[in-house]
Amino acid sequence: MSATWRDLPGDPGLERTSLANENGPYVGAEQRTALRRFATDPALDRLLGELYRGFGPQRWWPAETPFEVIVGAVLTQNTSWRNVELALGELRRARRLTPARLLADSEAALERRIRSSGTFRAKATRLRAVSAWYLERGGLRHLRKAPLEALRQDLLGVHGVGPETADSILCYAAGRRTAVVDAYTRRILGRHELADPTAPYDALRTWLMERLVRSQAVFEEFHALCVRAGYDNCKPLARCTTCPARTPAALAS
Ligand code: SF4
């Protein structure tokens, strides 16, 4: 029988690792020096290099502990980061940002705290499920050491965790080299005619995993740069003239 969060001593949500900056927000360990190479595919490498040089290092994910990354990854489903920040602020003020403390909260209280993130009842259920899973598996140590693909499948079995949430958790909370695919990624890769934007999630993830340089910092920056470009320029109507990336021929003509 597997352990439950009630059986475990301490609170693994408080653990810090070399991936966490003890003086503040979580930052990738390899982010101290500028990145020079992003991908083995020359066109993808050029695109990411242009975004990186134009926007600068994004240094995701802004959070004080890996568990806070996990909470943020669930809360950000179908809502803006601004709304997530409000919910995280409520949880932080109530000192609920560890899995044991979050699970100790009443259902009504947890729903009230995360109300700003939208669909709060569903998200409260998902947060409880992922918190219990995190504790049952033994916390961050397991997430950092377990074989990646088996761990990913295990995480995908948690209620409310889809591939984008799972890869966000594994990349940014656990420091694993897995590519996050979101709507911005699809749009940017599609507009630059690098990959089919309508391809299934796992096909695009595999395409990226085969091409991104095997560096944790590259995987972290890759998704962060796609989000930044999507927020600032690569909107439904592309703003290529002010984007650091070179305008694709299809949009320039
Ligand atoms: S806005 Fe234009 S140049 Fe920038 S990433 Fe999108 S398609 Fe590329």
Side-chain angles (χ1 to χ4, degrees), residues 188 191-192 233-234 238-240 243 245-248 251:
I188 293 167
R191 282 176 171 168
H192 284 261
N233 299 87
C234 214
R239 297 179 181 174
C240 298
C243 181
R246 209 170 307 169
T247 307
L251 288 175

Side-chain angles (χ1 to χ4, degrees), residues 12 79 144 193:
T79 195
R144 293 193 65 193
E193 298 180 347

Side-chain angles (χ1 to χ4, degrees), residues 42-243:
L44 181 62
D45 186 54
R46 192 183 64 218
L47 170 64
L48 294 174
E50 288 166 349
L51 293 176
Y52 182 77
R53 286 188 291 278
F55 289 128
Q58 301 299 295
R59 298 200 170 91
W60 272 29
W61 185 296
E64 291 181 8
T65 64
F67 184 70
E68 187 180 328
V69 176
I70 295 175
V71 174
V74 172
L75 293 179
T76 199
Q77 294 169 345
N78 302 314
T79 195
S80 70
W81 187 251
R82 175 79 195 116
N83 292 334
V84 175
E85 281 179 330
L86 293 172
L88 285 172
E90 288 292 322
L91 291 168
R92 192 174 296 111
R93 269 189 291 282
R95 300 173 60 80
R96 294 290 155 186
L97 278 176
T98 76
R101 290 179 194 169
L102 192 143
L103 285 165
D105 221 357
S106 74
E107 220 162 282
L110 180 57
E111 289 174 3
R112 192 178 64 247
R113 297 189 214 288
I114 65 167
R115 201 178 188 95
S116 68
S117 69
T119 59
F120 56 90
R121 289 203 178 90
K123 286 182 180 176
T125 305
R126 292 172 195 167
L127 282 180
R128 296 175 76 84
V130 78
S131 297
W133 175 86
Y134 187 75
L135 290 179
E136 284 168 12
R137 295 296 181 273
L140 190 62
R141 187 186 304 264
H142 177 72
L143 269 67
R144 293 193 65 193
K145 297 269 185 248
L148 177 61
E149 294 306 321
L151 176 64
R152 185 172 181 269
Q153 285 309 311
D154 188 28
L155 183 51
L156 285 170
V158 177
H159 173 76
V161 175
E164 186 183 331
T165 304
D167 287 321
S168 297
I169 289 171
L170 292 172
C171 183
Y172 294 104
R176 306 300 297 265
R177 291 190 299 243
T178 183
V180 181
V181 178
D182 69 351
Y184 295 132
T185 314
R186 290 177 182 279
R187 185 183 291 159
I188 293 167
L189 294 181
R191 282 176 171 168
H192 284 261
E193 298 180 347
L194 291 170
D196 175 4
T198 65
Y201 186 100
D202 280 350
L204 277 174
R205 174 177 177 262
T206 301
W207 187 89
L208 287 162
M209 304 267 291
E210 288 170 353
R211 287 162 178 80
L212 290 174
V213 167
R214 307 296 294 165
S215 146
Q216 179 60 28
V218 165
F219 278 78
E220 291 174 5
E221 282 295 317
F222 162 72
H223 175 56
L225 287 167
C226 286
V227 172
R228 176 69 187 271
Y231 263 43
D232 287 7
N233 299 87
C234 214
K235 296 168 182 286
L237 195 59
R239 297 179 181 174
C240 298
T241 51
T242 54
C243 181

Side-chain angles (χ1 to χ4, degrees), residues 17-36:
T17 71
S18 59
L19 291 174
N21 179 340
E22 61 280 5
N23 296 317
Y26 174 91
V27 292
E30 297 171 56
Q31 290 278 37
R32 296 180 196 105
T33 54
L35 300 177
R36 298 193 186 285

